[in-house]
Amino acid sequence: MGGGVSRPCGERPHAEVAPLSNPVYNVRPKVPRVAAGAVPWHQDKSYWPDANSNPVVTVWISFVDATLENGCLHVLPRTQTHKVHAFHRETYSGTGFTEVDLEAAGLVRDRSVALPIPAGTAILFNDRLVHCSTRNDSDHVRWSVDLRYQPTDQDPMTSHGAGFLARSRKHPERVAHLNDWLAERPEHSTVRA
């Protein structure tokens, strides 16, 4: 929960900006040969466009080998520094995923990079990176989880659920424990129920 994964999200020179584990996280089964398994080109920021400008960092972890066949992530390099592009809700899969029109955004699909990775590998990226994943054409489910972290001085996006304090140098006693998370408390509480 704390330590290594949250460290890149909370390190800023001259300031304690502890990472909050964002309430937007997902365990994702990518089922073989299902249209909804393909996630179109998008920026995660399109799902919370009203949050302030600080980036949310996604930690995407594959529980099985993510391959070209089972729908690994694809990214458009260097788009993490771009503005939030215009987007719309796609209608062809029935999921309502957000989608960036690459041509209208001046982006070139041919510059995309596929990221096949072994099970247990984490990929970190911010909420402006344009990325997608293709459908699963294998004969097994591709399982992954995406966790998100953000600075505590950013909108906690409580409309998406409860986040929790993942790490703090100044106030380590406030870092949430499992029982706090289960009780939807954003920080550690010594109060007994």
Side-chain angles (χ1 to χ4, degrees):
M1 207 174 348
V5 169
S6 65
R7 191 165 287 124
C9 312
E11 306 265 336
R12 290 192 188 170
H14 314 296
E16 157 90 347
V17 183
L20 178 76
S21 180
N22 183 288
V24 182
Y25 55 87
N26 300 288
V27 175
R28 296 188 187 273
K30 187 180 276 269
V31 178
R33 292 171 286 286
V34 172
V39 180
W41 289 105
H42 69 284
Q43 294 170 295
D44 290 348
K45 185 76 170 168
S46 63
Y47 289 100
W48 47 86
D50 297 330
N52 71 19
S53 62
N54 290 329
V56 171
V57 174
T58 294
V59 180
W60 188 87
I61 304 167
S62 188
F63 295 140
V64 299
D65 291 349
T67 65
L68 292 171
E69 183 184 21
N70 69 12
C72 66
L73 288 180
H74 295 249
V75 301
L76 285 172
R78 293 177 282 289
T79 56
Q80 74 276 5
T81 60
H82 290 195
K83 64 179 184 175
V84 178
H85 296 288
F87 60 90
H88 61 274
R89 296 281 178 178
E90 63 83 14
T91 56
Y92 49 86
S93 73
T95 62
F97 286 132
T98 63
E99 182 173 29
V100 170
D101 181 335
L102 296 184
E103 187 177 326
L107 301 171
V108 181
R109 181 186 317 260
D110 293 347
R111 293 190 182 147
S112 69
V113 175
L115 300 176
I117 58 171
T121 301
I123 298 172
L124 280 72
F125 55 93
N126 78 14
D127 57 0
R128 287 180 174 75
L129 180 74
V130 178
H131 62 287
C132 76
S133 67
T134 53
R135 84 179 206 153
N136 181 353
D137 288 323
S138 74
D139 60 358
H140 64 277
V141 175
R142 194 214 69 202
W143 288 93
S144 64
V145 64
D146 43 90
L147 308 170
R148 293 186 173 82
Y149 295 89
Q150 66 187 63
T152 54
D153 62 349
Q154 183 172 336
D155 172 11
M157 296 188 256
T158 53
S159 63
H160 294 281
F164 60 88
L165 184 64
R167 183 169 165 263
S168 174
R169 278 193 216 127
K170 283 187 179 177
H171 302 286
E173 73 283 358
R174 292 171 46 191
V175 172
H177 298 195
L178 176 61
N179 288 339
D180 300 309
W181 180 76
L182 292 171
E184 296 187 5
R185 290 187 297 260
E187 295 184 0
H188 180 59
S189 172
T190 56
V191 177
R192 301 260 184 225

